Amino acid sequence: MIIPGQHRCVLFDVDGTIAETEGQAHLPAFNRALEEAGLPWRWTHADYKRLLKTAGGFERLLRYAEETGSDAGALRHLLAGVHKNKNKHFADILASGAVKPRAGFAELIHSLTHNDIRWAVVTTTSRSNWEALWNYSLSPLDLPAPTVIVVGDDVQAKKPEPEAYLLALQRLGLAAHDCCAIEDSRNGLLAAGGAGLAVAI
Ligand code: XBP
Ligand code: MG
């Protein structure tokens, strides 16, 4: 999949790929923020698995409001606050050291570096969430920093649209065939594939 001599950079998704942040941090953070907002919604792992089809935490909240027959437009302001508070809880959970990268991640990055292949991050999660993962879970591992970081705040259209991957290639100054992507979701597969990248999923 990763071809030394051809590939010059590996583009990593974050949530579910570098670490199991969805179940271990985003979901409990959503439920805490929903409770603090006085909303009766609580999501189980099964609910959340289904809701993950909608990329973006704020978009996910709006989608759930629609599903439950609520007036999503009227709740927009409240849900924007819930989303912001969710990301604060997410950072707190990460700061506790509860979320480790997936097995083999650090070894893979070291092996890429050894083969003169760079790594980049292409996520449509919020910048603060990437920063929490980097500061609390990844930087203690003494890894080289990613060459390019594209987050949800950088794009108009989240995954499954290819915009985040196209922006990463532009920032890297590389063509799709110089790179490959590692993803964990259908939305990610479509986004990376739509930018012309080979994708491991
Ligand atoms: C994963 C997502 C994100 C996170 C929540 O994106 O769908 O929405 O669940 O992040 P990716 P925010 O696959 O691109 O990593 O609440 O910050 O949107
Ligand atoms: Mg993912």
Side-chain angles (χ1 to χ4, degrees):
M1 169 66 205
I2 302 169
I3 309 171
Q6 177 186 330
H7 290 147
R8 297 173 59 198
C9 187
V10 177
L11 280 52
F12 284 81
D13 169 52
V14 171
D15 295 299
T17 297
I18 295 180
E20 295 289 6
T21 44
E22 296 291 7
Q24 293 175 4
H26 283 292
L27 173 58
F30 270 114
N31 280 331
R32 280 180 210 174
L34 289 167
E35 187 176 357
E36 284 171 5
L39 284 162
W41 308 340
R42 297 292 175 274
W43 295 343
T44 64
H45 277 269
D47 295 329
Y48 195 64
K49 194 173 173 190
R50 181 176 49 77
L51 290 166
L52 278 174
K53 287 179 188 148
T54 303
F58 179 56
E59 292 82 350
R60 196 166 298 142
L61 286 162
L62 289 176
R63 159 92 190 271
Y64 189 77
E66 281 162 12
E67 274 182 11
T68 53
S70 311
D71 181 347
L75 287 175
R76 235 184 136 79
H77 183 70
L78 176 73
L79 295 181
V82 171
H83 182 238
K84 213 169 151 192
N85 194 27
K86 183 277 286 182
N87 282 350
K88 266 178 57 194
H89 285 302
F90 180 91
D92 289 345
I93 293 168
L94 272 280
S96 76
V99 181
K100 306 282 180 227
R102 287 178 66 159
F105 175 73
E107 290 81 355
L108 177 54
I109 297 299
H110 287 307
S111 158
L112 292 177
T113 307
H114 182 72
N115 284 281
D116 206 21
I117 299 171
R118 293 178 281 165
W119 72 291
V121 161
V122 184
T123 175
T124 46
T125 199
S126 308
R127 184 179 312 280
S128 65
N129 297 338
W130 158 253
E131 288 172 352
L133 184 71
W134 175 256
N135 290 333
Y136 300 120
S137 302
L138 303 181
S139 69
L141 303 176
D142 205 22
L143 302 173
T147 310
V148 156
I149 297 160
V150 173
V151 295
D153 313 58
D154 295 328
V155 296
Q156 299 288 323
K158 294 186 176 172
K159 299 173 187 177
E161 297 304 319
E163 185 182 348
Y165 278 101
L166 293 171
L167 181 60
L169 291 174
Q170 188 190 328
R171 288 182 181 174
L172 285 162
L174 294 174
H177 66 257
D178 298 324
C179 305
C180 62
I182 306 186
E183 275 285 355
D184 74 309
S185 69
R186 183 170 188 275
N187 282 337
L189 175 68
L190 292 172
L197 289 151
V199 193
I201 186 146

